[in-house]
Amino acid sequence: MLAFIGMWETLAVLVLILVLVLFRMLASSGSQRPAKRGEEGDLAQQMANDFWLLLAQGLGAGRIPFAPGTFGSLLGMLWFLVLVDLGVLWMYLAGCVLGMLASVWLSGKAEVILKQKDPSSVVVDETIALPICFLPWVVAEWWRQGSVPEPDHFFFQTNAWATLLIFVLFRVFDIAKPWPIKQSQRLRGGWGVTMDDVLAAVYVALMTLVLVL
């Protein structure tokens, strides 16, 4: 069972928000005038686009008018805790890889829909990068104890300060974008959106590696 109190309650709230947004989308589309022949496909495409944008924008976190990247990173903390709670190292690693690939696709899709290069409202890249920051810590605990630590391990006393430091460092590297983070934004499509956050997470992971050795 999950030891980190409040995590699943938070996840339930996010799921509820997702359901409400989807319901609103369906309700608004249903209130429109009856679609003529040829318009049904356009309506279906619009609904699909709204759904992909909802995911790319972190269930609406990216639409917050101030510091959307920070809110996307907070969502990434939740994603990190979900992966840790799975309790299996290979599933944690798979979650990091699959999350990165999903971000590449969703970010690229959002660029096409919004007709913008690296839209600020797209925060899925921050979300999926957070678990990479903690990777050395998770692997070190797995090596020492033979299992992935419980989520509350990262919030015990001094560990809580380390967790906060990792989060802050990620935001610093994501904003400052030292070489080659900024240069990676020149990559095409969703790769350019995603890789700068992944590289920022790698910087933090290397620093975390020094702490756990």
Side-chain angles (χ1 to χ4, degrees), residues 87-138:
V88 182
L89 182 60
W90 74 263
M91 294 182 72
Y92 185 97
L93 297 173
C96 290
V97 174
L98 292 176
M100 184 184 74
L101 295 177
S103 175
V104 169
W105 190 87
L106 286 169
S107 300
K109 191 76 174 174
E111 282 191 329
V112 173
I113 296 171
L114 297 174
K115 298 180 181 178
Q116 297 177 27
K117 174 66 176 175
D118 197 357
S120 61
S121 64
V122 172
V123 297
V124 65
D125 45 333
E126 280 92 357
T127 299
I128 61 90
L130 244 296
I132 300 173
C133 299
F134 289 88
L135 186 56
W137 192 352
V138 172

Side-chain angles (χ1 to χ4, degrees), residues 126-187:
E126 280 92 357
T127 299
I128 61 90
L130 244 296
I132 300 173
C133 299
F134 289 88
L135 186 56
W137 192 352
V138 172
V139 173
E141 292 299 325
W142 171 82
W143 182 262
R144 289 172 187 148
Q145 320 223 353
S147 62
V148 174
E150 293 288 333
D152 63 350
H153 170 81
F154 301 93
F155 297 90
F156 280 140
Q157 300 176 355
T158 56
N159 286 356
W161 289 105
T163 296
L164 178 60
L165 177 61
I166 290 172
F167 180 86
V168 172
L169 284 174
F170 173 69
R171 294 304 304 137
V172 169
F173 279 107
D174 188 29
I175 294 170
K177 300 188 187 304
W179 184 91
I181 297 176
K182 187 173 183 179
Q183 287 72 13
S184 70
Q185 292 182 302
R186 299 170 186 168
L187 295 172

